[in-house]
Amino acid sequence: QVQLVESGGGLVQPGGSLRLSCAASGSIFSSNTMGWYRQAPGKQRELVATITSGYSTNYADSVKGRFTISRDNAKNTVYLRMDSLKPEDTAVYYCNLDQTSIYAGRRDYWGQGTQVTVSS
């Protein structure tokens, strides 16, 4: 019932910038949290940043000061601006929506992922 579609991934040199977008559609409640997670080969998926519908943000220590998460509630879209990219930022980045339904309880929805590669 909820669909998330990411875009904006690609290849960038160390120190470069990239902007990811994620558009949500379906049964989106007014109160929710959207965020970005990433997974590198052989590693577990980890939180990158989250933002609530009230615009409260949270960042992983590894990206704090370099990445900026934002959202447009009218468009149900979340963005991730990535600056000063490092090779260790290379991963598949996934968009996430966290909301609570009276029927299904608290649920996470995931996008298909977009590849970000930082290399010279």
Side-chain angles (χ1 to χ4, degrees):
Q1 195 168 15
V2 173
Q3 295 180 343
L4 303 173
V5 180
E6 301 106 328
S7 62
L11 175 65
V12 64
Q13 294 183 348
S17 298
L18 211 58
R19 185 181 187 240
L20 306 182
S21 299
C22 173
S25 62
S27 298
I28 311 300
F29 302 147
S30 59
S31 180
N32 62 71
T33 298
M34 298 186 73
W36 292 93
Y37 294 72
R38 66 187 182 186
Q39 186 169 26
K43 300 181 66 177
Q44 288 188 291
R45 188 174 300 186
E46 65 177 357
L47 181 148
V48 177
T50 62
I51 183 168
T52 69
S53 50
Y55 305 105
S56 178
T57 60
N58 183 46
Y59 296 90
D61 288 340
S62 59
V63 307
K64 196 170 297 181
R66 299 188 298 120
F67 292 8
T68 303
I69 190 170
S70 61
R71 65 185 291 166
D72 185 335
N73 288 339
K75 297 180 179 179
N76 287 322
T77 300
V78 63
Y79 307 93
L80 185 68
R81 171 75 182 189
M82 302 182 291
D83 296 314
S84 301
L85 283 163
K86 306 174 181 179
E88 50 263 46
D89 294 318
T90 296
V92 177
Y93 284 69
Y94 296 91
C95 180
N96 170 266
L97 171 67
D98 180 1
Q99 65 179 16
T100 300
S101 166
I102 61 172
Y103 300 107
R106 185 177 181 179
R107 282 202 59 183
D108 281 315
Y109 300 89
W110 297 93
Q112 80 286 355
T114 184
Q115 177 71 46
V116 172
T117 302
V118 184
S119 176
S120 59

